[in-house]
Amino acid sequence: MNTLANRKDVARLAGVSEATVSRVFNNVSPLREETKRKVLQAAKELNYHPNVIAQNFAKGKSHNIGVIVPYLPKVNVMSTHYFSELVSGIGAKLGESGYGLLLLFQTPDERKNYVQLFQSQRVDGCIILGSSDNAAEIKAIEELHQLQLPYCLINQTYSGYSFHSIDADHVGGSFQATSFLLDKGFPHVIFINGPKEYSNSLDRFKGYKQAFDKRNVQISKEFVFEGNYSRKSGYQAAKEISKLLPISKAIFSANDRMAIGLIQGLGELGLQAGTDYAIIGYDDSEIARMTSPPLTTVRVPLYEMGKLAAEKILNFITGNESEQQIRLPVTLIERKSTSLDMY
């Protein structure tokens, strides 16, 4: 794990005091040119950037908070319930506090450098949506954390790291959904999950497994599918999932979009939700109430999560301590898509 250079490191390499390093970068008193040269050379060698990072943070020059969202070609992420609710919550809280929201799109292959946003004076804090478990992402977040810059992750945690985050109880939500179906008498529950690079996918699988463990029943790998949280991936899984419905007529989808795609795909095969099988989604998006039949789902407080993330950033900027990692409860909402009983 690489540690970023700090003021003490620069002072040690330049052979001066930390106070002298501060005076050089803040330009607050006369200094010998030789001293300045040594400090600046040491900072360059150590890749130390205190000026625009620390000063912009302290003075709050931009009064903007960056919200980083994934950019996917041909996909309008802001049209999805998940991102629109989070961003709405963030914007509401920032607006109350006189801060602007700077929406920043990031492609999956783009080099991760969140610190650069502070160096360029574009933001006073950043909220990261859609981060995934890969080395480049972890390194970029670790740099923010080590520099003690105001940041917050939403809906993503990393094992072994104490990064600032707002999340929901996805283990509990998945456990509730799976248990609900098992308690209706279904011997198995078909599960379509999201990619393993997202911690919330791992949490949902953990909750799914815990529901079976509680009943001393082994899960079967043939009943577990992986999508990518898109409607299309649910639709594409319909044919294979339909082959399992004679064995178990219960399905749990890790989000509403995949559930709706699955309902569409199974509908084309002549199978009707709530009549031929029971299905539960996740998120409680607006469209979950509009499907036919309406979709049973797990309600995630996305708007509240966004507001809390913004509040956490603002507290960070003003020097107020806040809890490092927060998880909000979720709620199972029963509708007619699970009206079917096994017996």
Side-chain angles (χ1 to χ4, degrees), residues 68 74 86 185 193 255 260 277 292 299 311 320 330:
I68 300 162
K74 300 181 181 179
L86 288 174
N193 199 10
N255 79 338
I260 290 162
Y277 62 93
S292 180
R299 179 175 293 162
E311 183 178 328
N320 295 318
V330 300

Side-chain angles (χ1 to χ4, degrees), residues 81 253-261 280-288 295-298:
H81 171 81
S253 171
N255 79 338
D256 291 345
R257 287 169 67 84
M258 289 194 298
I260 290 162
I280 296 179
Y282 202 100
D283 284 340
D284 192 29
S285 58
E286 184 178 355
I287 199 169
L295 182 65
T296 296
T297 185
V298 176

Side-chain angles (χ1 to χ4, degrees), residues 65 125-127 150-152 308-317:
I65 302 301
C126 71
I127 298 171
Y151 78 92
C152 185
L308 269 176
E311 183 178 328
K312 187 175 178 65
I313 291 289
L314 296 172
N315 285 339
F316 205 142
I317 290 172

Side-chain angles (χ1 to χ4, degrees), residues 286-337:
E286 184 178 355
I287 199 169
R289 307 175 194 93
M290 299 166 61
T291 58
S292 180
L295 182 65
T296 296
T297 185
V298 176
R299 179 175 293 162
V300 181
L302 297 170
Y303 183 85
E304 291 77 10
M305 289 167 68
K307 287 192 73 173
L308 269 176
E311 183 178 328
K312 187 175 178 65
I313 291 289
L314 296 172
N315 285 339
F316 205 142
I317 290 172
T318 56
N320 295 318
E321 291 292 327
S322 63
E323 192 177 346
Q324 202 158 31
Q325 297 182 334
I326 300 171
R327 283 184 186 264
L328 299 185
V330 300
T331 309
L332 181 69
I333 307 298
E334 184 179 357
R335 298 193 180 102
K336 290 186 178 180
S337 70

Side-chain angles (χ1 to χ4, degrees), residues 241-253:
I241 287 176
S242 70
K243 297 174 183 177
L244 295 172
L245 290 183
I247 305 170
S248 177
K249 300 181 184 297
I251 304 170
F252 171 41
S253 171

Side-chain angles (χ1 to χ4, degrees), residues 155 170-171 174-175 178 191 193-194 199-209 229 252-255 282-283 300:
N155 222 28
H170 299 302
V171 175
S174 185
F175 177 83
T178 308
F191 181 37
N193 199 10
S199 63
N200 54 84
S201 298
L202 300 179
D203 286 348
R204 285 173 173 88
F205 181 76
K206 187 181 294 184
Y208 171 79
K209 185 175 184 300
Y229 289 125
F252 171 41
S253 171
N255 79 338
Y282 202 100
D283 284 340
V300 181

